[in-house]
mmCIF file with all atom_site columns, all heavy atoms in Angstrom:
data_model
loop_
_atom_site.group_PDB
_atom_site.id
_atom_site.type_symbol
_atom_site.label_atom_id
_atom_site.label_alt_id
_atom_site.label_comp_id
_atom_site.label_asym_id
_atom_site.label_entity_id
_atom_site.label_seq_id
_atom_site.pdbx_PDB_ins_code
_atom_site.Cartn_x
_atom_site.Cartn_y
_atom_site.Cartn_z
_atom_site.occupancy
_atom_site.B_iso_or_equiv
_atom_site.pdbx_formal_charge
_atom_site.auth_seq_id
_atom_site.auth_comp_id
_atom_site.auth_asym_id
_atom_site.auth_atom_id
_atom_site.pdbx_PDB_model_num
ATOM 1   N N   . PRO A 1 124 ? 1.334  -7.685  -21.892 1.00 0.00 ? 305 PRO A N   1
ATOM 2   C CA  . PRO A 1 124 ? 0.325  -8.739  -22.324 1.00 0.00 ? 305 PRO A CA  1
ATOM 3   C C   . PRO A 1 124 ? -0.311 -8.261  -23.655 1.00 0.00 ? 305 PRO A C   1
ATOM 4   O O   . PRO A 1 124 ? -0.663 -9.202  -24.451 1.00 0.00 ? 305 PRO A O   1
ATOM 5   C CB  . PRO A 1 124 ? -0.636 -8.733  -21.132 1.00 0.00 ? 305 PRO A CB  1
ATOM 6   C CG  . PRO A 1 124 ? -0.427 -7.504  -20.489 1.00 0.00 ? 305 PRO A CG  1
ATOM 7   C CD  . PRO A 1 124 ? 1.072  -7.165  -20.549 1.00 0.00 ? 305 PRO A CD  1
ATOM 8   N N   . VAL A 1 125 ? -0.476 -7.046  -23.931 1.00 0.00 ? 306 VAL A N   1
ATOM 9   C CA  . VAL A 1 125 ? -1.095 -6.639  -25.198 1.00 0.00 ? 306 VAL A CA  1
ATOM 10  C C   . VAL A 1 125 ? -0.174 -6.885  -26.361 1.00 0.00 ? 306 VAL A C   1
ATOM 11  O O   . VAL A 1 125 ? -0.585 -7.491  -27.425 1.00 0.00 ? 306 VAL A O   1
ATOM 12  C CB  . VAL A 1 125 ? -1.421 -5.110  -25.204 1.00 0.00 ? 306 VAL A CB  1
ATOM 13  C CG1 . VAL A 1 125 ? -1.997 -4.713  -26.451 1.00 0.00 ? 306 VAL A CG1 1
ATOM 14  C CG2 . VAL A 1 125 ? -2.396 -4.712  -24.034 1.00 0.00 ? 306 VAL A CG2 1
ATOM 15  N N   . LEU A 1 126 ? 1.082  -6.689  -26.186 1.00 0.00 ? 307 LEU A N   1
ATOM 16  C CA  . LEU A 1 126 ? 2.061  -6.996  -27.224 1.00 0.00 ? 307 LEU A CA  1
ATOM 17  C C   . LEU A 1 126 ? 2.269  -8.468  -27.398 1.00 0.00 ? 307 LEU A C   1
ATOM 18  O O   . LEU A 1 126 ? 2.464  -9.036  -28.447 1.00 0.00 ? 307 LEU A O   1
ATOM 19  C CB  . LEU A 1 126 ? 3.378  -6.339  -26.899 1.00 0.00 ? 307 LEU A CB  1
ATOM 20  C CG  . LEU A 1 126 ? 3.389  -4.810  -26.970 1.00 0.00 ? 307 LEU A CG  1
ATOM 21  C CD1 . LEU A 1 126 ? 4.802  -4.271  -26.576 1.00 0.00 ? 307 LEU A CD1 1
ATOM 22  C CD2 . LEU A 1 126 ? 2.859  -4.179  -28.195 1.00 0.00 ? 307 LEU A CD2 1
ATOM 23  N N   . LYS A 1 127 ? 2.054  -9.195  -26.311 1.00 0.00 ? 308 LYS A N   1
ATOM 24  C CA  . LYS A 1 127 ? 2.100  -10.683 -26.308 1.00 0.00 ? 308 LYS A CA  1
ATOM 25  C C   . LYS A 1 127 ? 0.929  -11.283 -27.176 1.00 0.00 ? 308 LYS A C   1
ATOM 26  O O   . LYS A 1 127 ? 1.151  -12.220 -27.904 1.00 0.00 ? 308 LYS A O   1
ATOM 27  C CB  . LYS A 1 127 ? 2.056  -11.236 -24.933 1.00 0.00 ? 308 LYS A CB  1
ATOM 28  C CG  . LYS A 1 127 ? 2.500  -12.693 -24.845 1.00 0.00 ? 308 LYS A CG  1
ATOM 29  C CD  . LYS A 1 127 ? 3.977  -12.876 -25.133 1.00 0.00 ? 308 LYS A CD  1
ATOM 30  C CE  . LYS A 1 127 ? 4.333  -14.373 -24.861 1.00 0.00 ? 308 LYS A CE  1
ATOM 31  N NZ  . LYS A 1 127 ? 5.859  -14.565 -25.263 1.00 0.00 ? 308 LYS A NZ  1
ATOM 32  N N   . LEU A 1 128 ? -0.209 -10.647 -27.071 1.00 0.00 ? 309 LEU A N   1
ATOM 33  C CA  . LEU A 1 128 ? -1.336 -11.074 -27.901 1.00 0.00 ? 309 LEU A CA  1
ATOM 34  C C   . LEU A 1 128 ? -1.045 -10.890 -29.402 1.00 0.00 ? 309 LEU A C   1
ATOM 35  O O   . LEU A 1 128 ? -1.578 -11.621 -30.290 1.00 0.00 ? 309 LEU A O   1
ATOM 36  C CB  . LEU A 1 128 ? -2.533 -10.299 -27.557 1.00 0.00 ? 309 LEU A CB  1
ATOM 37  C CG  . LEU A 1 128 ? -3.236 -10.533 -26.172 1.00 0.00 ? 309 LEU A CG  1
ATOM 38  C CD1 . LEU A 1 128 ? -4.387 -9.631  -25.853 1.00 0.00 ? 309 LEU A CD1 1
ATOM 39  C CD2 . LEU A 1 128 ? -3.722 -12.014 -26.009 1.00 0.00 ? 309 LEU A CD2 1
ATOM 40  N N   . HIS A 1 129 ? -0.261 -9.933  -29.754 1.00 0.00 ? 310 HIS A N   1
ATOM 41  C CA  . HIS A 1 129 ? 0.134  -9.675  -31.147 1.00 0.00 ? 310 HIS A CA  1
ATOM 42  C C   . HIS A 1 129 ? 1.258  -10.542 -31.613 1.00 0.00 ? 310 HIS A C   1
ATOM 43  O O   . HIS A 1 129 ? 1.717  -10.393 -32.740 1.00 0.00 ? 310 HIS A O   1
ATOM 44  C CB  . HIS A 1 129 ? 0.547  -8.163  -31.380 1.00 0.00 ? 310 HIS A CB  1
ATOM 45  C CG  . HIS A 1 129 ? -0.643 -7.243  -31.300 1.00 0.00 ? 310 HIS A CG  1
ATOM 46  N ND1 . HIS A 1 129 ? -1.208 -6.925  -32.462 1.00 0.00 ? 310 HIS A ND1 1
ATOM 47  C CD2 . HIS A 1 129 ? -1.163 -6.537  -30.264 1.00 0.00 ? 310 HIS A CD2 1
ATOM 48  C CE1 . HIS A 1 129 ? -2.264 -6.105  -32.071 1.00 0.00 ? 310 HIS A CE1 1
ATOM 49  N NE2 . HIS A 1 129 ? -2.260 -5.760  -30.801 1.00 0.00 ? 310 HIS A NE2 1
ATOM 50  N N   . GLY A 1 130 ? 1.745  -11.456 -30.767 1.00 0.00 ? 311 GLY A N   1
ATOM 51  C CA  . GLY A 1 130 ? 2.784  -12.413 -31.085 1.00 0.00 ? 311 GLY A CA  1
ATOM 52  C C   . GLY A 1 130 ? 4.136  -11.974 -30.943 1.00 0.00 ? 311 GLY A C   1
ATOM 53  O O   . GLY A 1 130 ? 5.157  -12.538 -31.517 1.00 0.00 ? 311 GLY A O   1
ATOM 54  N N   . TRP A 1 131 ? 4.488  -10.960 -30.114 1.00 0.00 ? 312 TRP A N   1
ATOM 55  C CA  . TRP A 1 131 ? 5.765  -10.415 -29.844 1.00 0.00 ? 312 TRP A CA  1
ATOM 56  C C   . TRP A 1 131 ? 6.577  -11.454 -28.941 1.00 0.00 ? 312 TRP A C   1
ATOM 57  O O   . TRP A 1 131 ? 6.036  -11.813 -27.951 1.00 0.00 ? 312 TRP A O   1
ATOM 58  C CB  . TRP A 1 131 ? 5.768  -9.049  -29.270 1.00 0.00 ? 312 TRP A CB  1
ATOM 59  C CG  . TRP A 1 131 ? 5.370  -7.964  -30.104 1.00 0.00 ? 312 TRP A CG  1
ATOM 60  C CD1 . TRP A 1 131 ? 4.367  -7.913  -31.110 1.00 0.00 ? 312 TRP A CD1 1
ATOM 61  C CD2 . TRP A 1 131 ? 6.034  -6.637  -30.029 1.00 0.00 ? 312 TRP A CD2 1
ATOM 62  N NE1 . TRP A 1 131 ? 4.436  -6.647  -31.638 1.00 0.00 ? 312 TRP A NE1 1
ATOM 63  C CE2 . TRP A 1 131 ? 5.263  -5.886  -31.121 1.00 0.00 ? 312 TRP A CE2 1
ATOM 64  C CE3 . TRP A 1 131 ? 7.025  -6.047  -29.413 1.00 0.00 ? 312 TRP A CE3 1
ATOM 65  C CZ2 . TRP A 1 131 ? 5.595  -4.691  -31.402 1.00 0.00 ? 312 TRP A CZ2 1
ATOM 66  C CZ3 . TRP A 1 131 ? 7.299  -4.696  -29.657 1.00 0.00 ? 312 TRP A CZ3 1
ATOM 67  C CH2 . TRP A 1 131 ? 6.693  -3.910  -30.670 1.00 0.00 ? 312 TRP A CH2 1
ATOM 68  N N   . PRO A 1 132 ? 7.842  -11.871 -29.392 1.00 0.00 ? 313 PRO A N   1
ATOM 69  C CA  . PRO A 1 132 ? 8.611  -12.739 -28.377 1.00 0.00 ? 313 PRO A CA  1
ATOM 70  C C   . PRO A 1 132 ? 9.165  -11.856 -27.309 1.00 0.00 ? 313 PRO A C   1
ATOM 71  O O   . PRO A 1 132 ? 9.126  -10.622 -27.228 1.00 0.00 ? 313 PRO A O   1
ATOM 72  C CB  . PRO A 1 132 ? 9.736  -13.210 -29.323 1.00 0.00 ? 313 PRO A CB  1
ATOM 73  C CG  . PRO A 1 132 ? 9.821  -12.227 -30.431 1.00 0.00 ? 313 PRO A CG  1
ATOM 74  C CD  . PRO A 1 132 ? 8.386  -11.558 -30.575 1.00 0.00 ? 313 PRO A CD  1
ATOM 75  N N   . ILE A 1 133 ? 9.703  -12.502 -26.301 1.00 0.00 ? 314 ILE A N   1
ATOM 76  C CA  . ILE A 1 133 ? 10.277 -11.932 -25.136 1.00 0.00 ? 314 ILE A CA  1
ATOM 77  C C   . ILE A 1 133 ? 11.489 -10.928 -25.462 1.00 0.00 ? 314 ILE A C   1
ATOM 78  O O   . ILE A 1 133 ? 11.569 -9.902  -24.899 1.00 0.00 ? 314 ILE A O   1
ATOM 79  C CB  . ILE A 1 133 ? 10.800 -12.967 -24.086 1.00 0.00 ? 314 ILE A CB  1
ATOM 80  C CG1 . ILE A 1 133 ? 9.558  -13.816 -23.670 1.00 0.00 ? 314 ILE A CG1 1
ATOM 81  C CG2 . ILE A 1 133 ? 11.323 -12.269 -22.867 1.00 0.00 ? 314 ILE A CG2 1
ATOM 82  C CD1 . ILE A 1 133 ? 8.421  -13.043 -23.002 1.00 0.00 ? 314 ILE A CD1 1
ATOM 83  N N   . VAL A 1 134 ? 12.289 -11.380 -26.426 1.00 0.00 ? 315 VAL A N   1
ATOM 84  C CA  . VAL A 1 134 ? 13.408 -10.522 -26.829 1.00 0.00 ? 315 VAL A CA  1
ATOM 85  C C   . VAL A 1 134 ? 12.991 -9.196  -27.394 1.00 0.00 ? 315 VAL A C   1
ATOM 86  O O   . VAL A 1 134 ? 13.524 -8.181  -27.181 1.00 0.00 ? 315 VAL A O   1
ATOM 87  C CB  . VAL A 1 134 ? 14.300 -11.311 -27.845 1.00 0.00 ? 315 VAL A CB  1
ATOM 88  C CG1 . VAL A 1 134 ? 15.443 -10.494 -28.287 1.00 0.00 ? 315 VAL A CG1 1
ATOM 89  C CG2 . VAL A 1 134 ? 14.805 -12.662 -27.176 1.00 0.00 ? 315 VAL A CG2 1
ATOM 90  N N   . SER A 1 135 ? 11.917 -9.243  -28.247 1.00 0.00 ? 316 SER A N   1
ATOM 91  C CA  . SER A 1 135 ? 11.310 -8.029  -28.789 1.00 0.00 ? 316 SER A CA  1
ATOM 92  C C   . SER A 1 135 ? 10.771 -7.141  -27.756 1.00 0.00 ? 316 SER A C   1
ATOM 93  O O   . SER A 1 135 ? 10.889 -5.944  -27.848 1.00 0.00 ? 316 SER A O   1
ATOM 94  C CB  . SER A 1 135 ? 10.304 -8.433  -29.851 1.00 0.00 ? 316 SER A CB  1
ATOM 95  O OG  . SER A 1 135 ? 10.849 -9.143  -30.969 1.00 0.00 ? 316 SER A OG  1
ATOM 96  N N   . LEU A 1 136 ? 10.161 -7.807  -26.710 1.00 0.00 ? 317 LEU A N   1
ATOM 97  C CA  . LEU A 1 136 ? 9.640  -6.878  -25.655 1.00 0.00 ? 317 LEU A CA  1
ATOM 98  C C   . LEU A 1 136 ? 10.683 -6.113  -24.942 1.00 0.00 ? 317 LEU A C   1
ATOM 99  O O   . LEU A 1 136 ? 10.543 -4.968  -24.632 1.00 0.00 ? 317 LEU A O   1
ATOM 100 C CB  . LEU A 1 136 ? 8.825  -7.822  -24.605 1.00 0.00 ? 317 LEU A CB  1
ATOM 101 C CG  . LEU A 1 136 ? 7.490  -8.375  -25.164 1.00 0.00 ? 317 LEU A CG  1
ATOM 102 C CD1 . LEU A 1 136 ? 6.947  -9.308  -24.079 1.00 0.00 ? 317 LEU A CD1 1
ATOM 103 C CD2 . LEU A 1 136 ? 6.523  -7.243  -25.481 1.00 0.00 ? 317 LEU A CD2 1
#
Side-chain angles (χ1 to χ4, degrees):
V306 179
L307 298 178
K308 194 69 176 177
L309 290 176
H310 287 272
W312 284 41
I314 300 297
V315 177
S316 298
L317 289 177

